Amino acid sequence: MMLSKGLKRKREEEEEEKEALAVDTWWLDPGHPAVAQAPPAVASSSLFDLSVLKLHHSLRQSEPDLRHLVLVVNTLRRIQASMAPTAALPPVPSPPTAPGIADNLLASSDAALSASMASLLEDLSHIEGLSQAPQPLVDEGPPGRPTGGAPPSLGALDLLGPATGCLLDDGLEGLFEDIDTSMYDSELWAPASEGHKSSPEDGPGKEEAPELDEAELDYLMDVLVGTQALERPPGPGR
Amino acid sequence: MAGAGGGGCPAGGNDLQWCFSQVKGAVDEDVAEADVISTVEFSHSGDLLATGDKGGRVVIFQREQENKSRPHSRGEYNVYSTFQSHEPEFDYLKSLEIEEKINKIRWLPRQSAARFLLSTNDKTIKLWKISERDKRAEGCNLQDEDGRLRDPSSVTALRVPILKPMDLMVEANPRRIFANAHTYHINSISVNSDHETYLSADDLRINLWHLEITDRSFNIVDIKPANMEELTEVITAAEFHPHQCNVLVYSSSKGTIRLCDMRSSALCDRHSKFFEEPEDPSSRSFFSEIISSVSDVKFSHSGRYMMTRDYLSVKVWDLNMESRPVETHQVHEYLRSKLCSLYENDCIFDKFECCWNGCDSAIMTGSYNNFFRMFDRTTWRDVTLEASRENSKPRASLKPRRVCAGGKRKKDEVSVDSLDFSKKILHTAWHPAENIIAVAATNNLYIFQDKAN
């Protein structure tokens, strides 16, 4: 069972040995007057990192806990919304992002994450389509949907959708998985990241503080598409 | 005071003196994962108490009859039946292992000598028949007493078998298996008041079953978006109304509760009522949504109210008022300033259950450090008690516990920073008619009774 640092089993007798339970993270304490305004970016950044890690961990489960996943994603969106300045980034329409996520604050810095999440969640529903192949009896009696959900024909469409979606989302990366493309990295990032952010000469590592989050997102996407081993990327300012 | 005038309903949680009665389970510090209790449920009469665990086993305890020769047994619960309800399965299509953990047990109302219960894991619901056998047939024509078949040609005379008494044997047999209807993880089952149907709910769908029919079910709620990337909300719990067989409620990860009427539409995607408390802007944080996620919803026995449990509180709702709850009880408000750490160690995602007492005058829910909380709705008093082996002397009174949120810690108070977050009480149950409660603390089941009982 995972215990947070400093949470001990014994009680009163061992007070002197205890560490306080995260009392030094005052900037995260909503009751603290300073937090009434927008929290400092550096604090939210660590919470952001934590949330990204949690999301990553959740997505890597063979069968993700949907509630946990949804709550982490929604929390991540809140954190991102508080970090991104409201007017600076133009909204970027990104094909896999459904109109339902009409959140301009997120769309630009979040497209890569949305894309990965979208493809992964589509995979979940794609798997659902497959598992419904042995259909239970359809009841024609009282109105209601017999379980079994999508009819077999939709399942076939699901098979096509996510696969092609993934290929397009990842750009050229998926095709070049077995080739060392490190010298082309800066160019490869151009389609995935926002057009306004970098010219091909800029590497992700050269960008300033606001772009740190994007490097994080890029790293996450890399891991998700399997082109990178799971290790912390080197980068300035981290 | 509630219950004072009524017949048979004892007073609520706080004028009572709760005493230790029994504890079931191993004493070892090293807890086997399979032994962790995952659900607790009294039968409708309270004479049976069922538990399910992570290992897929169900253990049923039966209350002993009051016995003059053993006056101190005072209606103790002893093991009645143990059986393996669910086994781990492997879904070859998805290449996934399906956990055998019992998520919920629900008893069917008693209609005959046999007892029936529904138990469910993430994917499959099973109807179990528990029956007693205390007689056996002797003098069969075609079999020896050992059971060996006789050569038919050696049988020259026929006799009528005689029923003879034998030691009581309790058998559990799976009578129905309701499978293949849930893509996502089942979190709730609820038997309808019509005694013929029941619902099962997973993260995105609720299905209606007939107890006799296993090869089909009706989908009555479906919140799966056409595009999964639009998914922002899941179903967390669902229950049928105790008296109105057409009414059900389901709660969500966003802290909302929807009441559906199956008469108004066969597909209950559109709710009849929508319960949500507006967010308090002064306590807004990044974790607002997570802590508002409802982990349990329970109708009162009367059917007039329902109770919801979110991370920090229990709320009682009047079914006629959707705008806000009529009561809010803080379970462990001292954790509000620790939410970041609780997010880090995932405790913020813990799902606590809650329950009513028989006459709806009190409610109970669990917390950390093996603490559990009771709220008396009439006197508005609350108490924190602890389930621990140290307080396990027979009929010993439980001492109220206090948590010190900050500042100077008084004697006998427990400081927030020394709470053990691995000792969580997620599952509790209250006897339907008496002041007897069952509290699951990891792998141990504690039974407490009111002194007057």
Tab-separated table of all heavy atoms in Angstrom, chain B residues 244-298:
chain	number	residue	atom	x	y	z
B	244	GLN	N	-40.551	2.363	-5.029
B	244	GLN	CA	-41.065	2.633	-6.371
B	244	GLN	C	-40.213	1.892	-7.388
B	244	GLN	O	-39.070	2.273	-7.656
B	244	GLN	CB	-41.037	4.138	-6.651
B	244	GLN	CG	-41.960	4.928	-5.732
B	244	GLN	CD	-41.722	6.424	-5.840
B	244	GLN	OE1	-41.431	6.917	-6.922
B	244	GLN	NE2	-41.816	7.123	-4.729
B	245	CYS	N	-40.782	0.856	-7.948
B	245	CYS	CA	-39.968	-0.031	-8.792
B	245	CYS	C	-39.572	0.593	-10.120
B	245	CYS	O	-38.789	0.021	-10.859
B	245	CYS	CB	-40.691	-1.354	-9.027
B	245	CYS	SG	-42.307	-1.155	-9.767
B	246	ASN	N	-40.123	1.754	-10.445
B	246	ASN	CA	-39.768	2.408	-11.693
B	246	ASN	C	-38.695	3.475	-11.516
B	246	ASN	O	-38.253	4.082	-12.488
B	246	ASN	CB	-41.011	3.056	-12.305
B	246	ASN	CG	-41.707	3.960	-11.296
B	246	ASN	OD1	-42.147	3.503	-10.238
B	246	ASN	ND2	-41.800	5.235	-11.590
B	247	VAL	N	-38.268	3.714	-10.288
B	247	VAL	CA	-37.351	4.823	-10.013
B	247	VAL	C	-35.975	4.310	-9.628
B	247	VAL	O	-35.832	3.394	-8.811
B	247	VAL	CB	-37.899	5.719	-8.871
B	247	VAL	CG1	-36.873	6.753	-8.450
B	247	VAL	CG2	-39.192	6.380	-9.320
B	248	LEU	N	-34.949	4.918	-10.239
B	248	LEU	CA	-33.580	4.603	-9.845
B	248	LEU	C	-32.766	5.893	-9.828
B	248	LEU	O	-33.152	6.892	-10.425
B	248	LEU	CB	-32.960	3.601	-10.821
B	248	LEU	CG	-32.796	4.053	-12.266
B	248	LEU	CD1	-31.334	4.234	-12.629
B	248	LEU	CD2	-33.429	3.032	-13.197
B	249	VAL	N	-31.659	5.878	-9.122
B	249	VAL	CA	-30.731	7.009	-9.144
B	249	VAL	C	-29.349	6.513	-9.522
B	249	VAL	O	-29.007	5.353	-9.265
B	249	VAL	CB	-30.622	7.746	-7.783
B	249	VAL	CG1	-31.892	8.503	-7.460
B	249	VAL	CG2	-30.209	6.816	-6.677
B	250	TYR	N	-28.575	7.398	-10.141
B	250	TYR	CA	-27.168	7.088	-10.335
B	250	TYR	C	-26.339	8.350	-10.132
B	250	TYR	O	-26.773	9.452	-10.453
B	250	TYR	CB	-26.890	6.425	-11.685
B	250	TYR	CG	-27.080	7.272	-12.914
B	250	TYR	CD1	-26.012	7.978	-13.474
B	250	TYR	CD2	-28.313	7.324	-13.561
B	250	TYR	CE1	-26.172	8.726	-14.632
B	250	TYR	CE2	-28.491	8.077	-14.708
B	250	TYR	CZ	-27.413	8.774	-15.254
B	250	TYR	OH	-27.578	9.507	-16.393
B	251	SER	N	-25.163	8.141	-9.584
B	251	SER	CA	-24.281	9.259	-9.254
B	251	SER	C	-23.117	9.282	-10.236
B	251	SER	O	-22.851	8.294	-10.926
B	251	SER	CB	-23.747	9.107	-7.832
B	251	SER	OG	-23.035	7.880	-7.727
B	252	SER	N	-22.418	10.411	-10.276
B	252	SER	CA	-21.332	10.554	-11.240
B	252	SER	C	-20.053	11.040	-10.590
B	252	SER	O	-20.038	11.483	-9.437
B	252	SER	CB	-21.727	11.538	-12.350
B	252	SER	OG	-21.481	12.866	-11.919
B	253	SER	N	-18.990	10.999	-11.378
B	253	SER	CA	-17.679	11.437	-10.902
B	253	SER	C	-17.615	12.963	-10.791
B	253	SER	O	-16.649	13.494	-10.256
B	253	SER	CB	-16.598	10.945	-11.856
B	253	SER	OG	-16.891	11.372	-13.176
B	254	LYS	N	-18.642	13.651	-11.294
B	254	LYS	CA	-18.656	15.110	-11.170
B	254	LYS	C	-19.508	15.563	-9.997
B	254	LYS	O	-19.806	16.753	-9.872
B	254	LYS	CB	-19.177	15.747	-12.466
B	254	LYS	CG	-18.184	15.673	-13.592
B	254	LYS	CD	-18.526	16.639	-14.705
B	254	LYS	CE	-17.359	16.719	-15.677
B	254	LYS	NZ	-17.616	17.517	-16.851
B	255	GLY	N	-19.941	14.629	-9.175
B	255	GLY	CA	-20.688	15.016	-7.991
B	255	GLY	C	-22.161	15.266	-8.240
B	255	GLY	O	-22.824	15.915	-7.435
B	256	THR	N	-22.678	14.757	-9.341
B	256	THR	CA	-24.101	14.944	-9.623
B	256	THR	C	-24.846	13.631	-9.423
B	256	THR	O	-24.264	12.556	-9.513
B	256	THR	CB	-24.323	15.403	-11.073
B	256	THR	OG1	-23.911	14.341	-11.941
B	256	THR	CG2	-23.513	16.638	-11.385
B	257	ILE	N	-26.142	13.754	-9.142
B	257	ILE	CA	-26.986	12.560	-9.016
B	257	ILE	C	-28.183	12.738	-9.934
B	257	ILE	O	-28.811	13.813	-9.952
B	257	ILE	CB	-27.493	12.350	-7.565
B	257	ILE	CG1	-26.335	12.342	-6.571
B	257	ILE	CG2	-28.239	11.033	-7.462
B	257	ILE	CD1	-26.089	13.666	-5.913
B	258	ARG	N	-28.473	11.724	-10.709
B	258	ARG	CA	-29.624	11.785	-11.603
B	258	ARG	C	-30.643	10.751	-11.169
B	258	ARG	O	-30.305	9.597	-10.894
B	258	ARG	CB	-29.193	11.512	-13.040
B	258	ARG	CG	-28.396	12.646	-13.659
B	258	ARG	CD	-27.767	12.215	-14.963
B	258	ARG	NE	-27.065	13.302	-15.626
B	258	ARG	CZ	-25.836	13.702	-15.322
B	258	ARG	NH1	-25.174	13.092	-14.364
B	258	ARG	NH2	-25.270	14.706	-15.974
B	259	LEU	N	-31.883	11.182	-11.106
B	259	LEU	CA	-32.978	10.274	-10.778
B	259	LEU	C	-33.716	9.994	-12.070
B	259	LEU	O	-34.046	10.922	-12.813
B	259	LEU	CB	-33.897	10.919	-9.733
B	259	LEU	CG	-35.052	10.053	-9.212
B	259	LEU	CD1	-35.278	10.332	-7.736
B	259	LEU	CD2	-36.336	10.320	-9.979
B	260	CYS	N	-33.957	8.730	-12.341
B	260	CYS	CA	-34.608	8.343	-13.589
B	260	CYS	C	-35.887	7.588	-13.295
B	260	CYS	O	-35.962	6.800	-12.353
B	260	CYS	CB	-33.687	7.449	-14.419
B	260	CYS	SG	-32.162	8.266	-14.854
B	261	ASP	N	-36.862	7.822	-14.159
B	261	ASP	CA	-38.151	7.140	-14.037
B	261	ASP	C	-38.317	6.265	-15.264
B	261	ASP	O	-38.416	6.771	-16.378
B	261	ASP	CB	-39.264	8.190	-13.943
B	261	ASP	CG	-40.622	7.556	-13.689
B	261	ASP	OD1	-40.815	6.371	-14.035
B	261	ASP	OD2	-41.494	8.245	-13.146
B	262	MET	N	-38.342	4.958	-15.065
B	262	MET	CA	-38.404	4.051	-16.211
B	262	MET	C	-39.776	4.068	-16.883
B	262	MET	O	-39.932	3.524	-17.962
B	262	MET	CB	-38.046	2.630	-15.789
B	262	MET	CG	-36.611	2.520	-15.324
B	262	MET	SD	-36.033	0.825	-15.243
B	262	MET	CE	-37.035	0.226	-13.897
B	263	ARG	N	-40.744	4.690	-16.222
B	263	ARG	CA	-42.060	4.761	-16.859
B	263	ARG	C	-42.091	5.853	-17.909
B	263	ARG	O	-42.830	5.764	-18.879
B	263	ARG	CB	-43.152	5.048	-15.838
B	263	ARG	CG	-43.578	3.850	-15.045
B	263	ARG	CD	-44.659	4.211	-14.065
B	263	ARG	NE	-44.327	5.411	-13.314
B	263	ARG	CZ	-44.924	5.764	-12.184
B	263	ARG	NH1	-45.862	4.983	-11.673
B	263	ARG	NH2	-44.584	6.877	-11.577
B	264	SER	N	-41.303	6.904	-17.705
B	264	SER	CA	-41.419	8.014	-18.646
B	264	SER	C	-40.709	7.693	-19.949
B	264	SER	O	-41.056	8.204	-20.987
B	264	SER	CB	-40.847	9.298	-18.035
B	264	SER	OG	-39.494	9.094	-17.715
B	265	SER	N	-39.731	6.822	-19.863
B	265	SER	CA	-39.021	6.470	-21.087
B	265	SER	C	-38.284	5.166	-20.855
B	265	SER	O	-37.756	4.929	-19.778
B	265	SER	CB	-38.034	7.584	-21.428
B	265	SER	OG	-37.033	7.116	-22.276
B	266	ALA	N	-38.256	4.331	-21.867
B	266	ALA	CA	-37.548	3.058	-21.711
B	266	ALA	C	-36.045	3.293	-21.602
B	266	ALA	O	-35.340	2.563	-20.920
B	266	ALA	CB	-37.850	2.139	-22.871
B	267	LEU	N	-35.579	4.317	-22.278
B	267	LEU	CA	-34.160	4.658	-22.195
B	267	LEU	C	-34.036	5.840	-21.266
B	267	LEU	O	-34.591	6.902	-21.520
B	267	LEU	CB	-33.613	5.033	-23.576
B	267	LEU	CG	-33.883	4.016	-24.675
B	267	LEU	CD1	-33.292	4.498	-25.986
B	267	LEU	CD2	-33.306	2.666	-24.306
B	268	CYS	N	-33.325	5.651	-20.186
B	268	CYS	CA	-33.286	6.697	-19.171
B	268	CYS	C	-32.092	7.619	-19.320
B	268	CYS	O	-31.526	8.078	-18.338
B	268	CYS	CB	-33.285	6.067	-17.782
B	268	CYS	SG	-34.791	5.140	-17.463
B	269	ASP	N	-31.694	7.906	-20.541
B	269	ASP	CA	-30.582	8.828	-20.716
B	269	ASP	C	-30.982	10.235	-20.291
B	269	ASP	O	-30.139	11.049	-19.918
B	269	ASP	CB	-30.136	8.855	-22.185
B	269	ASP	CG	-29.398	7.578	-22.553
B	269	ASP	OD1	-29.150	6.764	-21.633
B	269	ASP	OD2	-29.080	7.385	-23.731
B	270	ARG	N	-32.266	10.527	-20.382
B	270	ARG	CA	-32.716	11.836	-19.891
B	270	ARG	C	-33.288	11.639	-18.502
B	270	ARG	O	-34.191	10.838	-18.307
B	270	ARG	CB	-33.758	12.410	-20.839
B	270	ARG	CG	-33.192	12.638	-22.245
B	270	ARG	CD	-34.148	13.437	-23.084
B	270	ARG	NE	-34.453	14.705	-22.421
B	270	ARG	CZ	-35.593	15.359	-22.587
B	270	ARG	NH1	-36.535	14.871	-23.370
B	270	ARG	NH2	-35.808	16.488	-21.969
B	271	HIS	N	-32.744	12.398	-17.571
B	271	HIS	CA	-33.143	12.176	-16.182
B	271	HIS	C	-34.460	12.886	-15.890
B	271	HIS	O	-34.857	13.819	-16.581
B	271	HIS	CB	-32.068	12.720	-15.248
B	271	HIS	CG	-31.673	14.123	-15.596
B	271	HIS	ND1	-30.573	14.420	-16.380
B	271	HIS	CD2	-32.235	15.312	-15.282
B	271	HIS	CE1	-30.478	15.731	-16.522
B	271	HIS	NE2	-31.465	16.296	-15.877
B	272	SER	N	-35.114	12.439	-14.829
B	272	SER	CA	-36.302	13.145	-14.342
B	272	SER	C	-35.892	14.241	-13.377
B	272	SER	O	-36.513	15.303	-13.326
B	272	SER	CB	-37.226	12.180	-13.609
B	272	SER	OG	-37.659	11.181	-14.482
B	273	LYS	N	-34.883	13.947	-12.568
B	273	LYS	CA	-34.387	14.950	-11.626
B	273	LYS	C	-32.863	14.958	-11.649
B	273	LYS	O	-32.238	13.926	-11.875
B	273	LYS	CB	-34.861	14.642	-10.203
B	273	LYS	CG	-36.354	14.740	-10.055
B	273	LYS	CD	-36.792	14.794	-8.606
B	273	LYS	CE	-38.320	14.740	-8.557
B	273	LYS	NZ	-38.865	15.029	-7.265
B	274	PHE	N	-32.320	16.114	-11.368
B	274	PHE	CA	-30.874	16.300	-11.429
B	274	PHE	C	-30.444	16.998	-10.153
B	274	PHE	O	-30.817	18.143	-9.908
B	274	PHE	CB	-30.526	17.143	-12.656
B	274	PHE	CG	-29.063	17.357	-12.845
B	274	PHE	CD1	-28.268	16.351	-13.372
B	274	PHE	CD2	-28.463	18.560	-12.501
B	274	PHE	CE1	-26.908	16.536	-13.563
B	274	PHE	CE2	-27.101	18.757	-12.678
B	274	PHE	CZ	-26.322	17.744	-13.215
B	275	PHE	N	-29.671	16.289	-9.335
B	275	PHE	CA	-29.264	16.831	-8.036
B	275	PHE	C	-27.810	17.253	-8.109
B	275	PHE	O	-26.936	16.446	-8.414
B	275	PHE	CB	-29.424	15.767	-6.942
B	275	PHE	CG	-30.836	15.291	-6.749
B	275	PHE	CD1	-31.369	14.319	-7.580
B	275	PHE	CD2	-31.627	15.806	-5.735
B	275	PHE	CE1	-32.673	13.877	-7.413
B	275	PHE	CE2	-32.931	15.368	-5.548
B	275	PHE	CZ	-33.455	14.405	-6.387
B	276	GLU	N	-27.579	18.519	-7.791
B	276	GLU	CA	-26.199	18.995	-7.753
B	276	GLU	C	-26.113	20.191	-6.836
B	276	GLU	O	-26.944	21.090	-6.904
B	276	GLU	CB	-25.724	19.397	-9.154
B	276	GLU	CG	-24.243	19.801	-9.195
B	276	GLU	CD	-23.761	20.173	-10.592
B	276	GLU	OE1	-24.564	20.671	-11.385
B	276	GLU	OE2	-22.566	19.955	-10.879
B	277	GLU	N	-25.120	20.198	-5.978
B	277	GLU	CA	-24.933	21.359	-5.121
B	277	GLU	C	-23.960	22.294	-5.816
B	277	GLU	O	-22.894	21.853	-6.257
B	277	GLU	CB	-24.378	20.926	-3.761
B	277	GLU	CG	-24.179	22.098	-2.819
B	277	GLU	CD	-23.929	21.671	-1.388
B	277	GLU	OE1	-23.349	20.589	-1.186
B	277	GLU	OE2	-24.305	22.434	-0.474
B	278	PRO	N	-24.290	23.576	-5.915
B	278	PRO	CA	-23.369	24.509	-6.554
B	278	PRO	C	-22.053	24.544	-5.786
B	278	PRO	O	-22.032	24.417	-4.563
B	278	PRO	CB	-24.078	25.865	-6.462
B	278	PRO	CG	-25.437	25.599	-5.965
B	278	PRO	CD	-25.482	24.225	-5.377
B	279	GLU	N	-20.967	24.713	-6.528
B	279	GLU	CA	-19.637	24.711	-5.906
B	279	GLU	C	-19.461	25.952	-5.047
B	279	GLU	O	-19.871	27.035	-5.424
B	279	GLU	CB	-18.581	24.687	-7.011
B	279	GLU	CG	-17.194	24.376	-6.517
B	279	GLU	CD	-16.176	24.372	-7.651
B	279	GLU	OE1	-16.556	24.682	-8.792
B	279	GLU	OE2	-15.009	24.066	-7.386
B	280	ASP	N	-18.845	25.780	-3.900
B	280	ASP	CA	-18.551	26.912	-3.035
B	280	ASP	C	-17.280	27.581	-3.555
B	280	ASP	O	-16.197	26.993	-3.487
B	280	ASP	CB	-18.355	26.388	-1.603
B	280	ASP	CG	-17.901	27.474	-0.643
B	280	ASP	OD1	-17.905	28.671	-1.036
B	280	ASP	OD2	-17.548	27.126	0.492
B	281	PRO	N	-17.397	28.798	-4.064
B	281	PRO	CA	-16.228	29.429	-4.696
B	281	PRO	C	-15.055	29.614	-3.740
B	281	PRO	O	-13.903	29.622	-4.172
B	281	PRO	CB	-16.744	30.791	-5.192
B	281	PRO	CG	-18.140	30.913	-4.721
B	281	PRO	CD	-18.591	29.644	-4.094
B	282	SER	N	-15.336	29.744	-2.448
B	282	SER	CA	-14.237	29.995	-1.517
B	282	SER	C	-13.396	28.752	-1.261
B	282	SER	O	-12.268	28.840	-0.802
B	282	SER	CB	-14.790	30.517	-0.179
B	282	SER	OG	-15.559	29.495	0.422
B	283	SER	N	-13.927	27.586	-1.591
B	283	SER	CA	-13.119	26.386	-1.330
B	283	SER	C	-12.681	25.714	-2.623
B	283	SER	O	-12.320	24.558	-2.652
B	283	SER	CB	-13.911	25.392	-0.474
B	283	SER	OG	-15.083	25.015	-1.161
B	284	ARG	N	-12.724	26.480	-3.685
B	284	ARG	CA	-12.345	25.947	-4.985
B	284	ARG	C	-10.860	25.616	-5.028
B	284	ARG	O	-10.039	26.365	-4.541
B	284	ARG	CB	-12.645	27.016	-6.035
B	284	ARG	CG	-12.752	26.493	-7.417
B	284	ARG	CD	-13.519	27.474	-8.321
B	284	ARG	NE	-13.965	26.741	-9.490
B	284	ARG	CZ	-13.334	26.747	-10.651
B	284	ARG	NH1	-12.257	27.476	-10.800
B	284	ARG	NH2	-13.784	26.041	-11.663
B	285	SER	N	-10.515	24.485	-5.635
B	285	SER	CA	-9.107	24.151	-5.804
B	285	SER	C	-8.987	23.248	-7.032
B	285	SER	O	-9.981	22.910	-7.659
B	285	SER	CB	-8.569	23.414	-4.575
B	285	SER	OG	-9.002	22.061	-4.595
B	286	PHE	N	-7.787	22.885	-7.356
B	286	PHE	CA	-7.580	21.973	-8.484
B	286	PHE	C	-8.266	20.645	-8.243
B	286	PHE	O	-8.568	19.917	-9.178
B	286	PHE	CB	-6.089	21.725	-8.704
B	286	PHE	CG	-5.348	22.931	-9.206
B	286	PHE	CD1	-4.239	23.406	-8.529
B	286	PHE	CD2	-5.754	23.581	-10.345
B	286	PHE	CE1	-3.551	24.513	-8.991
B	286	PHE	CE2	-5.074	24.690	-10.823
B	286	PHE	CZ	-3.968	25.158	-10.140
B	287	PHE	N	-8.490	20.335	-6.971
B	287	PHE	CA	-9.023	19.019	-6.631
B	287	PHE	C	-10.523	19.033	-6.417
B	287	PHE	O	-11.097	18.044	-5.986
B	287	PHE	CB	-8.309	18.494	-5.386
B	287	PHE	CG	-6.817	18.559	-5.498
B	287	PHE	CD1	-6.081	19.452	-4.728
B	287	PHE	CD2	-6.144	17.751	-6.391
B	287	PHE	CE1	-4.703	19.540	-4.860
B	287	PHE	CE2	-4.769	17.825	-6.534
B	287	PHE	CZ	-4.044	18.723	-5.766
B	288	SER	N	-11.157	20.162	-6.705
B	288	SER	CA	-12.595	20.279	-6.444
B	288	SER	C	-13.393	19.158	-7.076
B	288	SER	O	-14.300	18.615	-6.456
B	288	SER	CB	-13.123	21.619	-6.965
B	288	SER	OG	-12.600	22.665	-6.204
B	289	GLU	N	-13.068	18.857	-8.315
B	289	GLU	CA	-13.880	17.828	-8.970
B	289	GLU	C	-13.643	16.454	-8.351
B	289	GLU	O	-14.587	15.708	-8.099
B	289	GLU	CB	-13.563	17.769	-10.472
B	289	GLU	CG	-14.430	16.740	-11.180
B	289	GLU	CD	-14.199	16.699	-12.672
B	289	GLU	OE1	-13.978	17.773	-13.257
B	289	GLU	OE2	-14.233	15.600	-13.231
B	290	ILE	N	-12.380	16.152	-8.079
B	290	ILE	CA	-12.089	14.822	-7.536
B	290	ILE	C	-12.796	14.620	-6.207
B	290	ILE	O	-13.383	13.573	-5.950
B	290	ILE	CB	-10.575	14.608	-7.352
B	290	ILE	CG1	-9.846	14.746	-8.683
B	290	ILE	CG2	-10.318	13.231	-6.747
B	290	ILE	CD1	-8.350	14.563	-8.574
B	291	ILE	N	-12.764	15.651	-5.353
B	291	ILE	CA	-13.382	15.442	-4.036
B	291	ILE	C	-14.901	15.525	-4.095
B	291	ILE	O	-15.583	15.119	-3.163
B	291	ILE	CB	-12.828	16.404	-2.955
B	291	ILE	CG1	-13.142	17.860	-3.292
B	291	ILE	CG2	-11.335	16.191	-2.764
B	291	ILE	CD1	-12.853	18.804	-2.128
B	292	SER	N	-15.421	16.039	-5.194
B	292	SER	CA	-16.882	16.066	-5.309
B	292	SER	C	-17.419	14.755	-5.890
B	292	SER	O	-18.621	14.492	-5.824
B	292	SER	CB	-17.322	17.225	-6.202
B	292	SER	OG	-17.071	16.908	-7.562
B	293	SER	N	-16.541	13.946	-6.444
B	293	SER	CA	-16.969	12.676	-7.037
B	293	SER	C	-17.709	11.843	-5.993
B	293	SER	O	-17.222	11.632	-4.888
B	293	SER	CB	-15.734	11.924	-7.547
B	293	SER	OG	-16.089	10.644	-8.009
B	294	VAL	N	-18.912	11.406	-6.346
B	294	VAL	CA	-19.732	10.650	-5.393
B	294	VAL	C	-19.308	9.190	-5.417
B	294	VAL	O	-19.286	8.553	-6.470
B	294	VAL	CB	-21.226	10.774	-5.764
B	294	VAL	CG1	-22.078	9.868	-4.883
B	294	VAL	CG2	-21.674	12.222	-5.619
B	295	SER	N	-18.955	8.653	-4.259
B	295	SER	CA	-18.483	7.272	-4.213
B	295	SER	C	-19.588	6.287	-3.831
B	295	SER	O	-19.457	5.086	-4.051
B	295	SER	CB	-17.317	7.139	-3.232
B	295	SER	OG	-17.660	7.712	-1.989
B	296	ASP	N	-20.688	6.798	-3.264
B	296	ASP	CA	-21.779	5.900	-2.889
B	296	ASP	C	-23.074	6.692	-2.832
B	296	ASP	O	-23.071	7.880	-2.452
B	296	ASP	CB	-21.493	5.264	-1.513
B	296	ASP	CG	-22.389	4.054	-1.220
B	296	ASP	OD1	-23.022	3.529	-2.164
B	296	ASP	OD2	-22.456	3.636	-0.047
B	297	VAL	N	-24.160	6.058	-3.198
B	297	VAL	CA	-25.476	6.675	-3.057
B	297	VAL	C	-26.419	5.631	-2.467
B	297	VAL	O	-26.444	4.483	-2.900
B	297	VAL	CB	-26.002	7.241	-4.409
B	297	VAL	CG1	-26.218	6.140	-5.429
B	297	VAL	CG2	-27.281	8.009	-4.201
B	298	LYS	N	-27.182	6.031	-1.430
B	298	LYS	CA	-28.087	5.098	-0.765
B	298	LYS	C	-29.410	5.798	-0.469
B	298	LYS	O	-29.426	6.868	0.153
B	298	LYS	CB	-27.478	4.629	0.567
B	298	LYS	CG	-26.243	3.749	0.431
B	298	LYS	CD	-26.655	2.290	0.463
B	298	LYS	CE	-25.529	1.328	0.105
B	298	LYS	NZ	-24.267	1.554	0.793
